[in-house]
Amino acid sequence: MKDFLNEPTGVFPSVCSLDCPDQCGLLVHKRDGRIVKIEGDPDHPVTQGAICNKVRHMAERIYDPKRLTTPLRRVGPKGEGAFEPITWEEAIGTITGRWRELIASEGPESILPYSFYGNMGRIGTEGMDRRFFNRMSASELDQTICEAAGSEGYRYTMGDSIGTSPEDTEHAKLFVFWGINAVSTNMHQVTIAEKARKNGAKIVVIDVHRNRTGKWADWFIPLKPGTDAALALGLMHVLFAEGRTDEAFLREYTVGHEELRAHVKAYDPDTVADITGVPAGDIVRLARMYSETTPSFIRIGNGIQHHDNGGMCVRTIACLPALTGQWLHRGGGAIKANGGYVQHNSRALQRPDLRKGKARSVNMNRLGSALLELDPPIRSLYVYNTNPAVVAPEANKVREGLSREDLFTVVHDLFPTETAKYADIVLPATSAFENTDLYHSYWHHYVQIQQPVVAPYGESKSNVEVFRLLARGMGYDDPALQDSEADLIRQAVDYPRNPAYDGITYEALVERQYVKADVKPLFPGRLPTPSGKIELYSAAMGRKGYPPLPTYTPLLEQDEERWPFRFIPGPNHNFLNSTFSLNEKHAKLEKAPKLHMNAADAAALGIGDGERVRVWNDRGEAELTAAIGEDVLPGVVVSQGLWADAPGKKHTVNALTPDRLADMGGGAVFFSGRVQVARAGEAVAEAAP
Ligand SMILES: Nc1nc2c(c(=O)[nH]1)N[C@H]1C(S)=C(S)[C@@H](COP(=O)(O)OP(=O)(O)OC[C@H]3O[C@@H](n4cnc5c(=O)[nH]c(N)nc54)[C@H](O)[C@@H]3O)O[C@H]1N2
Ligand SMILES: Nc1nc2c(c(=O)[nH]1)N[C@H]1C(S)=C(S)[C@@H](COP(=O)(O)OP(=O)(O)OC[C@H]3O[C@@H](n4cnc5c(=O)[nH]c(N)nc54)[C@H](O)[C@@H]3O)O[C@H]1N2
Ligand code: SF4
Ligand SMILES: [Mo]
């Protein structure tokens, strides 16, 4: 290990820990033991020194006076946020004492870990924590909140989360950004597209909101939410009908093209225009542009999969590059996610062998229902790397569950989040810059390391360290539960089954900071699908009860009379999910939690730009600031950002989102709900149910 901590002043290489595909290389400037500046590392081969505004202001988060410094014990009612400091010894003693009692009286499945990727470091998010809860045989969390539906859908078509190499896309001549707000959420893909644009490439954006990415496009195509599969099938209709397909590619590398050819006859441009709201002429024009431009590249976003039909939608769009043989052209094809290439040795890291028997699995998107309804009940919740009171669907149900007096809740975080307010014990977490951890991106192919640049803030501890302490407190004497960070990284990257890890060792990472995984081009070659080819027809899907061919199914909520607006509560530019929502600098940059609506809808409701509006449905309500214009279609409202509530102001948009599950993967359907909108404070007669 390089000892950066011994040098109080200097510039040190780091990696961005946030849940963002770019996973930038960083340079951390330190003076007298304190971070004074963070910038991009020009030596990083993909991100090349450019970073986003939010991480340029990261030091303000690290030293935010609100940051937690000691363990805390709750002294007021749940949800109020009244705590007193305690020692680590007391905290670990209280937690392990309660857990021993629960295990003796109700069994280890009464305890549920709840986590996500607030820090993408693998040993802290899917390493020592998993070992600990496996050893305990606690209930398991099904981590479905982000990309589960789309990943399963993409896998039916392509076999795994594998796609085009991002650096290759600089050769593309057409970029289709489909349901991704890349200017905010994948800025280096935008940088690469800009480079290609200078060589004549065109940029198409297909979205329900003309946000920063839509405004940057050469051609912005707005459509009705949840209708993308129909649009993709309409494009396929035109490609087949006009003889614009690459027949040699279809024969060599796909299964089911004849079935698909017959199937898409039903999706003619007029039918698809009715479904999607995209004019028939535009559908034909886009199909022609797509077939006439090589290489063409589709960046498939997360937005489309957060719908009732999200899995099938991603599976359908993922079929498109095969129709024109784009996978054989450097820079052509698609990226949904590339995490499959750099999958580390998760068995060695997580040690499922420490578990006794099979545990019950709880879908993280249904946390409220799980806390209120599961039998036998969950008696203890341990939350880390996530903020479910704000980010999980049906927030009011989640908060009702978290309010249960008989639920023993522990939250490990850097900040007193909304979720932490419901905790019995709060533990202070180190920031990523205070830890050692292993990183790999779900977009580019580099594996990276973080070595501690600054000492732990206050008494804060890393996830790995806390689980080592909890293991000791529980009397678990398995040596794997005391492994060092370096041990854990060594075990994760020692993975002969994935040849991409050849030559990637702990020592190489320490020495070089960025090591490229040895990723081979997908074609020519065999895909990890059952047939080894792109599955336009998937027998595996048929066996699971899905239509084996790509198919459009409408969203479930259709009661337009009662709830006139489809509600799309997405992320924003200056936060990372709910991270930064408590940091003044970032909240100021974002100004206010907005609701974008069409001018015609606003006029009909007498709402003026900048006015506060109430947004509600059967699940709950939120108060936002109206942003009126032509950036969304009539009948659609879009909010941006997962804000914390302010005194007297309900900003939690997930109070309105459904906790039903998507068609695949147990995924979330954040964007498939409906709402009503009115000026805040104005009484509105609701239509009878
Ligand atoms: N600045 C910033 N960057 C982030 C994040 C953040 O919060 N802020 N979050 C990170 C995480 S965890 C993730 S998963 C990614 C998410 O980032 P993206 O992949 O960009 O996904 P979203 O922003 O959720 O949605 C993308 C777009 O889908 C659109 N959309 C919604 N419904 C539909 C639809 O039915 N059809 C179409 N075509 N478009 C639709 C939305 O308007 C939005 O513009 O970003 C990561 N990066
Ligand atoms: N309405 C709506 N809801 C959404 C989405 C949406 O688009 N719309 N997006 C969804 C998606 S794609 C995702 S991925 C989820 C993400 O939701 P979360 O995973 O909850 O992400 P964050 O809100 O960033 O919260 C991460 C928390 O982890 C903490 N943290 C950071 N580093 C560490 C660490 O090292 N240790 C510990 N113990 N804690 C740490 C941070 O301080 C922060 O409070 O949200 C989902 N929710
Ligand atoms: S949030 Fe994304 S773009 Fe910003 S520094 Fe981190 S990896 Fe780079
Ligand atoms: Mo996500």
Side-chain angles (χ1 to χ4, degrees), residues 16 18 20-24 26 50-52 54-55 187-188 576:
C16 178
L18 296 176
C20 168
D22 301 53
Q23 199 154 95
C24 294
L26 304 179
I51 60 168
C52 65
K54 46 191 185 300
V55 171
M187 63 175 269
H188 295 89
L576 201 298

Side-chain angles (χ1 to χ4, degrees), residues 15-26 38-40 47 50-56 58 183-188 444 573 575-576 580:
V15 44
C16 178
S17 64
L18 296 176
D19 186 354
C20 168
D22 301 53
Q23 199 154 95
C24 294
L26 304 179
I38 292 171
E39 59 181 359
T47 61
I51 60 168
C52 65
N53 205 27
K54 46 191 185 300
V55 171
R56 249 183 280 125
M58 184 61 120
V183 169
S184 297
T185 64
N186 187 195
M187 63 175 269
H188 295 89
H444 62 63
H573 190 73
F575 300 171
L576 201 298
F580 301 117

Side-chain angles (χ1 to χ4, degrees), residues 659-674:
D659 73 350
R660 61 176 185 268
L661 303 179
D663 55 347
M664 290 179 198
V669 299
F670 292 112
F671 301 162
S672 288
R674 300 190 70 93

Side-chain angles (χ1 to χ4, degrees), residues 61 119 385-387 391 412-413 463 569 576 578-579 654 670:
R61 174 172 157 86
N119 175 343
N385 288 335
T386 182
N387 182 13
V391 308
H412 184 207
D413 203 299
N463 297 356
L576 201 298
S578 77
T579 297
N654 276 321
F670 292 112

Side-chain angles (χ1 to χ4, degrees), residues 217-259:
D218 296 308
W219 183 15
F220 174 67
I221 303 178
L223 83 177
K224 294 184 195 164
T227 64
D228 302 77
L231 179 59
L233 289 157
L235 297 175
M236 294 183 206
H237 173 101
V238 178
L239 294 174
F240 278 118
E242 297 189 355
R244 294 173 172 275
T245 48
D246 182 336
E247 294 298 311
F249 186 90
L250 287 173
R251 272 194 307 275
E252 180 73 21
Y253 295 111
T254 73
V255 290
H257 53 278
E258 288 310 328
E259 290 90 335

